[in-house]
């Protein structure tokens, strides 16, 4: 608890000493926070001379990787932020303050068991090529093996970073618990589940062996593809905190001026960015979930037919079959303006409670989405659209899906990328043909053929066993049939016996009642005695039936 309080104090102090409270419009701050700001008078703004964007960048950078990641995501949202702030936050993508190169060299030598870096690499550069929130990279050349002489980059995890991440995550978990209990939308927004998912992805990013595996998988998925090139990972030189991979020569996707000067076809480039995203999500169910501009480059070859180069695969996302199908159907219904279908899919998938009025939900979705169709990205204010969609979600009790958080973040990156490269891009028309083709492959005759092809090895393996299995099955059916016949005969006999018992019981009760009535009404003694004798004989017969 003391660590959480200490970290919360540091975050508050950092925000106030960098004057970030002055960036927030006063009308957005409740009176309690304004009074709290005056109470913390010993934490004045020490950076008044710096622009707001620089203050925000420095504050996030000083708080560590969790906050840097947040700044990276914000940097792609040029429509939500003033241009000066967005440009300053973009520096967080690959210009985070580096740690000493000599320390990085020592970490590499220790991880690879080298007495000196020269044993495995030539021309190791102590000056880092780039520095990000989790790690930094250095250039070198391989000295050993079949790839000797290849230019490589060596990625090294920052030292002692785990403690800072754990402290921030614990604080976020505490805040998420408070929000879940006290916010009216706490149950629907699922803050604890979202933080849990974020914890997993962030800690996965600290394991470079996992990142190496992700890179190898993505490279295999896009082998010989004109859309995306993934550099080769040298697994023999990779460890949990060190990874060695091929050095690529590309233009940062955010360097629009250079791309334009080289004559790159920006329309095709933007469309291919959308295609890469949907291919990863719907074809492979394995997508690069950290596609901010610092991790995406453009090949210098074939500017008329450009392709992407990707790096940094620490965060990847996956989707199960059901979520993928619901997403594809939602996208298609949305592109076709079939808002009724969108509403029904949300109810069917459980994302919206079943008691919600579908007609009202359909109307609300139409109100938000219809105005943005047939418009290029340059004319769409996604800030307003997102606010309206959030209000709609709250009104109809739509629950946050933690497994889709990475996908939503990646979609924001892709949309921000398209806005930067080619503002006239029609996002809907670019994605719709791809999704239609995918749906046909999943639900049409192609899906049947593919299923047969996928299961053919299994059936080929089992086919020689089929005659034996069929013979054993038929052989086992005869004794089973005889056993069933015996059981049925026993059931019929028991049913007949039960019917007889019921009949004798009814007769006995009737005779007893008749004897009583005859005796009470003073009938002749011989009549009462004969009726009583009949009742006694009937009860004896019933007793014998029960004992049998």
């Amino acid at each position: 608890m003391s660590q959480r309080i200490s970290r919360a104090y540091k975050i508050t102090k950092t925000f106030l000493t960098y004057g970030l409270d002055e960036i927030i419009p006063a009308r957005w701050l409740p009176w309690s926070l304004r009074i709290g700001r005056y109470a913390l008078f010993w934490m004045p703004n020490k950076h008044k001379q710096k622009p707001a964007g620089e203050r925000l960048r420095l504050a996030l950078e000083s708080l560590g990787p969790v906050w840097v990641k947040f700044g990276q995501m914000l940097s792609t949202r040029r429509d939500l932020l003033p241009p000066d702030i967005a440009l300053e936050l973009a520096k967080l993508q690959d210009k985070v303050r580096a740690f000493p190169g000599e320390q990085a060299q020592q970490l590499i030598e220790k991880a690879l068991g080298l007495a000196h870096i020269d044993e495995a690499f030539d021309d190791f550069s102590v000056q880092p090529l780039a520095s990000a929130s989790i790690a930094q990279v250095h250039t070198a050349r391989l000295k050993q093996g079949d790839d000797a002489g290849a230019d490589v980059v060596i990625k090294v995890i920052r030292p002692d970073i785990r403690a800072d991440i754990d402290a921030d995550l614990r604080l976020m978990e505490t805040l998420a618990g408070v929000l879940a209990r006290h916010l009216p939308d706490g149950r629907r927004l699922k803050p604890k589940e979202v933080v849990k998912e974020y914890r997993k992805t962030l800690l996965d990013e600290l394991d470079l062996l996992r990142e190496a595996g992700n890179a190898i998988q993505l490279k295999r998925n896009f082998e010989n593809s004109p859309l995306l090139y993934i550099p080769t990972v040298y697994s023999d030189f990779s460890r949990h905190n060190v990874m060695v991979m091929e050095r690529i020569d590309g233009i940062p996707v955010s360097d629009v001026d250079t791309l334009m000067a080289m004559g790159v076809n920006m329309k095709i480039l933007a469309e291919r960015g959308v295609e890469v995203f949907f291919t990863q999500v719907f074809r492979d169910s394995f997508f690069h979930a950290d596609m901010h501009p610092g991790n995406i480059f453009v090949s210098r070859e074939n500017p008329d037919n450009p392709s992407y180069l990707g790096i940094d695969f620490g965060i990847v996302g996956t989707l199960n079959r059901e979520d993928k199908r619901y997403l594809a159907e939602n996208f298609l219904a949305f592109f076709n303006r079939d808002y009724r279908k969108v509403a029904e899919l949300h109810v069917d998938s459980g994302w919206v409670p079943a008691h919600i009025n579908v007609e009202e939900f359909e109307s609300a979705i139409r109100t938000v989405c219809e105005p943005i169709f047939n418009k290029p990205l340059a004319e769409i204010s996604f800030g307003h659209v997102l606010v309206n969609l959030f209000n709609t979600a709250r009104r109809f009790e739509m629950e946050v899906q933690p497994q889709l958080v990475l996908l939503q973040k990646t979609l924001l990156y892709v949309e921000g990328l398209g806005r930067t490269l080619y503002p006239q891009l029609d996002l809907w028309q670019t994605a719709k043909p791809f999704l239609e083709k995918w749906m046909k492959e999943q639900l049409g005759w192609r899906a049947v053929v593919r299923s047969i092809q996928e299961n053919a090895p299994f059936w080929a393996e089992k086919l020689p066993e089929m005659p034996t299995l069929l013979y054993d099955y038929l052989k086992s059916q005869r004794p089973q049939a005889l056993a069933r016949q015996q059981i049925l005969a026993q059931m019929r006999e028991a049913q007949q016996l039960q019917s007889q018992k019921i009949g004798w019981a009814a007769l006995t009760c009737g005779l007893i009642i008749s004897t009583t009535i005859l005796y009470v009404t003073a009938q002749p003694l011989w009549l009462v005695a004969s009726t009583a004798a009949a009742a006694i004989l009937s009860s004896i017969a019933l007793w014998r039936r029960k004992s049998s």
Side-chain angles (χ1 to χ4, degrees):
M1 180 62 71
S2 60
Q3 288 182 338
R4 297 181 188 180
I5 294 174
S6 174
R7 185 61 176 166
Y9 176 82
K10 180 180 179 181
I11 292 171
T12 302
K13 182 178 179 180
T14 301
F15 272 55
L16 295 181
T17 54
Y18 280 97
L20 300 189
D21 57 305
E22 299 173 6
I23 300 176
I24 305 173
R27 66 180 184 276
W28 291 3
L29 294 174
W31 63 270
S32 56
L33 288 182
R34 290 198 293 269
I35 292 177
R37 179 65 187 97
Y38 289 123
L40 298 172
F41 60 88
W42 68 89
M43 299 180 185
N45 179 4
K46 298 179 179 179
H47 303 271
K48 292 183 178 181
Q49 74 283 5
K50 295 186 174 84
E54 184 179 357
R55 281 187 278 147
L56 178 58
R57 175 180 63 81
L58 293 174
L60 295 176
E61 188 175 300
S62 66
L63 287 174
V66 175
W67 301 92
V68 170
K69 288 289 181 187
F70 180 67
Q72 289 174 350
M73 185 181 71
L74 284 180
S75 71
T76 67
R77 302 304 316 200
R78 302 297 177 92
D79 55 327
L80 300 181
L81 297 173
D84 59 325
I85 293 180
L87 288 172
E88 194 66 36
L89 290 180
K91 297 178 181 179
L92 294 173
Q93 292 161 7
D94 59 358
K95 293 184 175 61
V96 180
R97 187 185 302 116
F99 64 92
E102 292 79 10
Q103 189 177 9
Q105 179 177 329
Q106 293 172 3
L107 291 171
I108 296 168
E109 291 170 346
K110 181 179 179 180
L112 299 180
L114 304 175
H116 193 272
I117 195 78
D118 291 342
E119 292 182 18
F121 303 99
D122 285 324
D123 299 331
F124 176 80
S125 174
V126 177
Q127 183 68 27
L129 177 67
S131 180
S133 55
I134 299 292
Q136 67 187 36
V137 296
H138 296 258
T139 60
R141 283 206 320 271
L142 281 182
K143 194 173 183 178
Q144 304 173 358
D146 296 336
D147 297 299
D151 290 324
V152 297
V153 292
I154 308 174
K155 185 173 183 178
V156 191
I157 295 291
R158 288 178 173 271
D160 305 322
I161 193 176
R162 181 63 184 264
D164 291 339
I165 289 179
D166 285 340
D168 277 347
L169 288 174
R170 284 194 296 269
L171 179 60
M172 291 173 70
E173 288 167 350
T174 301
L175 294 176
V178 172
L179 293 176
R181 286 193 300 270
H182 299 291
L183 277 185
D185 284 345
R187 181 188 63 82
R188 181 181 64 81
L189 295 176
K190 298 182 180 179
K192 293 196 291 186
E193 289 83 352
V194 171
V195 172
K196 182 180 179 181
E197 188 76 13
Y198 185 57
R199 165 186 278 276
K200 178 182 180 300
T201 58
L202 195 57
L203 295 184
D204 284 349
E205 197 172 1
L206 293 177
D207 187 353
L208 293 186
L209 284 181
R210 180 184 293 271
E211 178 176 345
N214 294 339
I216 293 170
Q217 177 69 50
L218 283 169
K219 186 175 182 65
R220 183 164 60 248
N221 291 345
F222 284 87
E223 196 71 41
N224 301 319
S225 171
L227 301 176
L228 176 66
Y229 179 79
I230 304 297
T232 300
V233 173
Y234 299 99
S235 302
D236 292 342
F237 298 97
S238 297
R239 302 292 185 270
H240 287 289
N241 64 331
V242 171
M243 184 178 72
V244 179
M245 65 189 307
E246 173 189 0
R247 184 179 181 181
I248 59 173
D249 181 23
I251 306 166
V253 74
S254 57
D255 191 355
V256 177
D257 292 338
T258 301
L259 294 173
M260 296 285 288
M262 288 185 59
V264 173
N265 190 320
M266 304 299 282
K267 181 176 184 294
I268 293 179
L269 187 63
E271 291 174 347
R272 285 190 167 179
V274 175
E275 187 175 353
V276 165
F277 169 74
F278 282 101
T279 299
Q280 291 182 76
V281 172
F282 292 105
R283 188 195 69 183
D284 304 328
S285 298
F286 190 83
F287 60 93
H288 191 322
D290 200 16
M291 295 177 64
H292 63 74
N295 290 337
I296 306 297
F297 297 81
V298 179
S299 174
R300 297 180 183 274
E301 301 176 2
N302 301 324
D304 291 333
N305 190 29
S307 61
Y308 288 97
L309 310 172
I311 62 171
D312 197 350
F313 314 104
I315 303 177
V316 298
T318 59
L319 292 177
N320 62 40
R321 188 185 300 271
E322 286 301 312
D323 281 337
K324 188 166 61 172
R325 184 173 65 83
Y326 274 118
L327 277 172
E329 291 181 349
N330 267 288
F331 274 124
L332 279 177
F334 180 72
F335 293 155
N336 292 322
R337 305 190 190 188
D338 187 354
Y339 302 115
R340 175 76 181 200
K341 181 70 171 177
V342 174
E344 291 174 345
L345 285 169
H346 275 69
V347 174
D348 292 343
S349 64
W351 298 347
V352 169
H355 64 79
I356 292 297
N357 186 299
V358 175
E359 287 76 14
E360 292 183 5
F361 189 35
E362 173 192 0
S363 177
I365 296 172
R366 178 182 293 106
T367 300
V368 174
C369 298
E370 192 65 27
I372 69 175
F373 269 103
N374 292 333
K375 288 184 177 181
L377 288 177
E379 298 178 18
I380 299 173
S381 174
F382 270 94
H384 294 118
V385 172
L386 289 175
V387 169
N388 291 334
L389 283 175
F390 183 80
N391 291 334
T392 300
R394 180 170 53 202
R395 175 184 169 191
F396 291 96
E397 305 176 34
M398 188 187 303
E399 295 188 356
V400 170
Q401 302 298 312
Q403 76 276 17
L404 301 181
V405 170
L406 277 179
L407 180 71
Q408 294 164 357
K409 185 191 81 168
T410 306
L411 186 57
L412 288 180
Y413 281 156
V414 172
E415 182 267 316
L417 185 64
R419 180 185 298 277
T420 301
L421 294 176
Y422 189 72
Q424 291 75 34
L425 176 69
D426 190 330
L427 185 62
W428 329 119
Q429 292 304 317
T430 302
K432 182 179 176 182
F434 178 86
L435 285 173
E436 288 177 337
K437 178 182 177 183
W438 183 84
M439 286 297 292
K440 289 178 181 178
E441 291 176 348
Q442 296 300 308
L443 303 178
W445 63 268
R446 292 185 181 90
V448 177
V449 173
R450 187 175 61 256
S451 178
I452 294 174
Q453 291 175 340
E454 291 174 353
N455 292 305
F458 173 79
W459 290 114
E461 178 185 351
K462 296 299 181 184
L463 189 60
E465 304 176 17
M466 292 300 292
T468 303
L469 293 174
L470 181 60
Y471 172 78
D472 292 342
Y473 172 77
L474 295 175
K475 185 178 179 179
S476 66
Q477 290 306 298
R478 182 174 179 82
Q480 290 180 10
L482 293 174
R484 284 195 295 269
Q485 291 176 0
Q486 293 176 355
I487 293 173
L488 288 173
Q490 293 173 358
M491 291 176 63
R492 283 195 296 268
E493 184 178 350
Q495 190 175 16
Q496 291 175 357
L497 181 61
Q498 186 69 21
S499 299
Q500 292 176 2
K501 290 179 180 179
I502 293 173
W504 281 109
L507 178 60
T508 302
C509 290
L511 289 172
I512 293 172
I513 293 171
S514 298
T515 302
T516 303
I517 293 173
L518 291 173
Y519 178 78
V520 171
T521 56
Q523 297 298 321
L525 184 59
W526 65 268
L527 182 59
V528 174
S530 61
T531 305
I536 292 171
L537 293 173
S538 176
S539 63
I540 292 173
L542 176 61
W543 176 79
R544 293 185 64 185
R545 292 288 180 184
K546 288 184 177 180
S547 63
S548 61

